[in-house]
Each structure stands twice: as C-alpha cells, then as structure tokens.
Amino acid sequence: MNPVKPGETRRTPWIVGVSGASGTPYAASVLRALLAAGESVDLVVSRASRLTLLDETGIAFRDAHWRDDLRQWLSRGADGKPDTFTADLDLDGVRHWAAGDLAAGPSSGSYPSKGMLIVPASTACVAGVALGLSKDLLQRVASVTLKESRTLVVAVRETPLNGQTLRHLVTLDDAGASVVPASPAFYAGATHIQDLVDFVAGRVLDAAGVEHRLYRRWKGGLGGGSRTD
C-alpha cells in the first residue's frame, strides 16, 4: 500500500460482501446509494452469489470483466428491467477483490475501512462468520471487521429461520454486528417492487450510519403509506 502523501486523504472504503442468498437487487441498491453518497467501495462477490446473480438477472459476474458486469448489474431495476437506472455510474471509487483471494488487502486488519455490509447474507455465510471459519475472502473480511471493532451489518435473507441460524445470529449480535433482516415495510408508501427493495437497502445503510434518500421515513402521522408526496 502506498503511503499517504501530505495533503492527500486516505481512502477508507465501505466493504460490501455479496453472498449466495436470493436478493441481489438489495446489494445493487446498497451499492448505488453508497456511490451516490460519495463513498468508496470495496466489493467482494462470493462464488455462490454469482450463480444467484446469473439466475436473478441473467448477468454473469466475471473477475476479469467485473467493471462492465457491475455497471450492467447496477443499471438493472429490481423488476429485472435493464437500463432502469440510466444515470452515469461513477465506478472510479470501486475496488473489486476476487472471492478466493485470501491475500487481498481487506483480509488484514491493517487495511483501512469504515466497516462491512453483507447484503444479502445467506445462512451459510452467517454460520461461517459466526464460527470464524474464514473459508473465503468474504468471511475473512467479516472476521477482520469484528476483531477490529468496526461496523458490521449482516442483512440476512432466509425464511423460516431455524434454531441453529438464530443462535448464529445471536452470536453475531453479541460480537457487535448489526443484524438487519431483509424485511420490507409498507408504511413508506411503496408502489413498486423497487420501493420495497430500497427500504431494506436503506435500513442497511441506516445501521451503518450512511446518509441516503432511499425511502420515506416515519414522521408519526397515520396514513403515510397512502400518500404520494
């Protein structure tokens, strides 16, 4: 890593891990919002999640062409329509790490980061992080995040949850992680599947302390879900 020169600002990214659970639109919404907020992002896409991404979007995520594949993914809406988000996506702040690269920068606690968001998080991922298995880069980075007392948000996406997974989630909570189930709410006046996806993504970012405008917040007045303002 190059030393920071006088007058320069150290790059301190959010690390986004995408595991193999269904819910790749959640990850896309989180990534778009982080970039819109001017945040730097380090991206780890697990091998299992690439199968899910291919199944849910038809996009093959390839290490050698990750920038083109990511741009295509982030432009797609939650309803599967391409080019839903047509604004120019500035990917200069994104760094991609291969899931099998256990020597990657984020695998070390000396690598600077603001924390990690795992979205969506499969039950296998939850178990691996809770048990400290570090079987791939995603799990290793999560373990590093916990040991360095940085923010870890785990957006678990599964139903029903059995006792074993619930115990793993309690372990993560005890370790300091924020567990955010991918549970959309309806009080914000959702009229489209993208609204429901953005609500979950917004709650993930709320847990990380990142500002966004993904959903309308509760203000204490009944009937907000039927308003269009």
Side-chain angles (χ1 to χ4, degrees):
M1 183 183 302
N2 295 327
V4 178
K5 298 178 181 179
E8 289 184 341
T9 301
R10 180 187 296 274
R11 181 180 183 275
T12 309
W14 283 101
I15 302 171
V16 176
V18 186
S19 80
S22 177
T24 55
Y26 294 129
S29 181
V30 165
L31 288 165
R32 284 192 298 265
L34 285 172
L35 295 176
E39 299 283 354
S40 297
V41 174
D42 278 20
L43 179 63
V44 181
V45 181
S46 76
R47 290 189 176 94
S49 70
R50 299 173 194 222
L51 297 176
T52 307
L53 181 63
L54 181 63
D55 182 57
E56 293 183 345
T57 69
I59 298 171
F61 192 91
R62 303 158 295 175
D63 289 335
H65 304 280
W66 70 268
R67 191 176 295 273
D68 291 337
D69 298 336
L70 178 61
R71 187 178 299 278
Q72 183 183 3
W73 177 19
L74 297 188
S75 69
R76 188 175 295 264
D79 57 2
K81 293 181 180 179
D83 301 321
T84 297
F85 297 92
T86 56
D88 290 338
L89 291 168
D90 184 1
L91 301 183
D92 289 344
V94 180
R95 183 176 295 171
H96 167 260
W97 301 95
D101 184 5
L102 291 177
S107 67
S108 171
S110 65
Y111 185 87
S113 79
K114 293 182 178 179
M116 184 180 192
L117 316 175
I118 305 178
V119 54
S122 67
T123 55
C125 173
V126 166
V129 176
L131 297 174
L133 297 182
S134 295
K135 74 178 185 65
D136 61 7
L137 181 61
L138 194 157
Q139 292 184 13
R140 170 60 185 169
V141 175
S143 294
V144 167
T145 301
L146 287 175
K147 81 179 183 67
E148 296 295 326
S149 299
R150 297 169 181 161
T151 298
L152 176 63
V153 182
V154 180
V156 61
R157 214 305 307 165
E158 186 58 88
T159 190
L161 295 171
N162 61 27
Q164 186 177 46
T165 298
L166 290 169
R167 285 188 286 273
H168 288 152
L169 292 173
V170 170
T171 297
L172 292 179
D173 178 77
D174 289 342
S178 294
V179 177
V180 181
S183 302
F186 296 85
Y187 61 78
T191 59
H192 189 275
I193 186 175
Q194 188 68 54
D195 299 325
L196 299 175
V197 167
D198 286 347
F199 179 88
V200 172
R203 296 300 287 152
V204 170
L205 294 173
D206 286 345
V210 177
E211 293 187 8
H212 65 87
R213 300 181 64 183
L214 289 175
Y215 69 89
R216 184 171 59 200
R217 298 184 181 278
W218 175 253
K219 297 181 179 178
L222 295 179
S226 62
R227 293 200 299 268
T228 58
D229 58 314

